[in-house]
């Protein structure tokens, strides 16, 4: 018998990367692969499903699109099949959903972020965080992995298991292939992405910083889908995204568990920062699944300067 080692493939796949380049243990690697498979079905559903309302609302009273419900079902199915998930928390479900109490991981997700943009044919995405054991009582810093999938002109998957942030492209045969092995975020933002800008009418500090960023001639890049808007920061290697509160949403619109937590993990892994204006998002204790939080995320100096003015 002759033994031969496997040749390094020309295009590194997600599986190869997880196996050889990431500190993820086998179970976590399998779970990430299963979630990445779900995302292929979500991507296909976006292209082929009608974009209408489902007739139901989610835990936040928001009208669910058929695609929100379908994406949630697709993820549930893949998490169930993995056998690795004790429970999951979804933007589209009002409770923690138990799957297999003996399984090691909890998964938190927004199955389709920015779904109201789908009929405008803007980019939308899936956001995922992974914890060992339970989620309630933990902080997002305790995630063991986070990832997102961006469905745009191309489908892009970005993940971290705590050793940098890695970017993959879904190719024509359904394989995720490595694009950039390490994404980094520089300390100073040239681009800004101001969410909930209506809050400037009630928040003078926010208004002042927005005016400063305009005077500095930062470039505006805001689509209304945080997956696309924060991916822009990863892709260009700088930028700052904000969503702060006003009277309609004192804590801002975005949710800690399945929107801000996973992005905070990824952004810090890339050398950026994520703050609620007072403390790092990664240090906020999760007491309820539906918690909202203000979010300032991206290039460190700009995150810190806005946080400082807001806190003053
Ligand atoms: P979702 O579609 O999951 O409800 O979330 C959309 C979020 C986020 O992606 C975006 O940054 C924000 O809502 C936009 O809010 P506005 O429509 O108030 O700008
Ligand atoms: Mn969302
Ligand atoms: Mn959503």
């Amino acid at each position: 018998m002759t033994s031969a080692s496997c040749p390094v493939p020309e295009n590194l796949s997600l599986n190869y990367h997880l196996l050889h380049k990431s500190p993820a243990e086998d179970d976590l690697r399998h779970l990430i692969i299963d979630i990445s498979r779900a995302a292929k079905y979500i991507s296909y559903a976006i292209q082929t499903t009608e974009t209408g309302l489902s007739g139901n609302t989610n835990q936040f009273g928001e009208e669910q699109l058929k695609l929100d419900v379908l994406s949630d079902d697709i993820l549930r199915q893949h998490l169930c099949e993995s056998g690795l998930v004790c429970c999951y928390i979804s933007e589209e479900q009002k409770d923690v959903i138990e799957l297999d109490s003996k399984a090691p991981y909890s998964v938190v997700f927004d199955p389709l972020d920015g779904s109201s943009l789908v009929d405008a044919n803007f980019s939308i995405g899936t956001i995922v965080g992974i914890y060992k054991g339970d989620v309630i009582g933990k902080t997002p810093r305790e995630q063991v992995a986070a990832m997102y999938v961006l469905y745009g002109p191309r489908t892009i998957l970005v993940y971290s298991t705590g050793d940098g942030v890695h970017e993959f492209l879904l190719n024509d045969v359904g394989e995720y292939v490595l694009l950039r092995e390490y994404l980094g975020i520089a300390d100073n933002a040239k681009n800004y992405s101001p969410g909930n800008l209506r809050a400037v009418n009630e928040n003078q500090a926010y208004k002042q910083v927005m005016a400063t960023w305009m005077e500095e001639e930062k470039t505006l890049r805001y689509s209304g889908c945080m997956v696309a808007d924060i991916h822009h920061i990863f892709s260009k290697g700088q930028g700052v995204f904000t969503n702060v509160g006003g009277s309609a949403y004192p804590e801002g619109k975005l949710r800690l568990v399945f929107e801000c937590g996973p992005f905070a993990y990824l952004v810090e892994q890339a050398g950026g920062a994520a703050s609620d204006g007072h403390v790092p998002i990664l240090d906020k204790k999760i007491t309820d699944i539906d918690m909202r939080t203000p979010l300032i995320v991206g290039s460190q100096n700009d995150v810190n300067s806005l946080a400082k003015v807001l806190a003053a």
Side-chain angles (χ1 to χ4, degrees), residues 18-89:
L18 280 160
L19 189 58
H20 296 285
K21 307 266 184 163
S22 134
E25 46 194 66
D26 263 5
D27 275 358
L28 183 56
R29 172 169 65 94
H30 285 293
L31 179 55
I32 291 171
I33 292 292
D34 286 334
I35 294 168
S36 77
R37 286 176 49 234
K40 295 179 200 176
Y41 285 87
I42 295 174
S43 170
Y44 181 72
I46 292 166
Q47 289 167 44
T48 54
T49 311
E50 56 174 306
T51 60
L53 298 173
S54 71
N56 296 315
T57 55
N58 68 11
Q59 55 168 319
F60 301 97
E62 299 161 343
E63 285 182 321
Q64 289 173 313
L65 297 180
K66 287 178 187 150
L67 271 171
D68 289 318
V69 177
L70 192 53
S71 306
D72 192 51
D73 288 347
I74 290 169
L75 271 161
R76 180 199 177 96
Q77 184 64 38
H78 283 78
L79 297 184
C80 277
E81 280 178 20
S82 77
L84 293 165
V85 179
C86 55
C87 59
Y88 73 86
I89 301 174

Side-chain angles (χ1 to χ4, degrees), residues 1 76 107 122-123 151 167 185 204 232 235:
M1 195 161 63
R76 180 199 177 96
V107 180
F122 276 31
S123 298
Y151 314 102
E167 181 194 41
I185 298 176
Q204 283 307 310
H232 190 275
S235 186

Side-chain angles (χ1 to χ4, degrees), residues 143-198:
Q143 288 169 109
V144 293
M147 61 197 283
Y148 63 85
V149 181
L150 175 64
Y151 314 102
R154 302 166 170 202
T155 295
I156 300 277
L157 180 150
V158 171
Y159 90 91
S160 177
T161 50
D163 184 27
V165 181
H166 323 292
E167 181 194 41
F168 294 79
L169 171 71
L170 183 61
N171 72 11
D172 284 345
V173 294
E175 185 82 79
Y176 292 97
V177 293
L178 185 65
L179 278 183
R180 287 177 279 190
E181 185 156 27
Y182 290 103
L183 297 175
I185 298 176
D187 291 345
N188 294 311
K190 289 184 270 190
N191 299 330
Y192 71 128
S193 193
N196 197 24
L197 207 45
R198 55 183 91 74

Side-chain angles (χ1 to χ4, degrees), residues 220-242:
L220 178 69
R221 287 289 179 269
Y222 187 77
S223 75
C225 168
M226 73 182 294
V227 180
D229 292 328
I230 300 181
H231 181 69
H232 190 275
I233 298 176
F234 282 114
S235 186
K236 302 299 178 187
Q238 53 73 24
V240 58
F241 173 94
T242 61

Side-chain angles (χ1 to χ4, degrees), residues 62 91 110 112-116 196 198 222 224-227 229 241 243 253-255 259:
E62 299 161 343
E91 183 186 76
D110 178 351
L112 212 46
D113 177 73
S115 54
S116 70
N196 197 24
R198 55 183 91 74
Y222 187 77
C225 168
M226 73 182 294
V227 180
D229 292 328
F241 173 94
N243 193 301
K253 181 186 171 188
L254 301 175
R255 275 90 16 153
E259 290 176 325

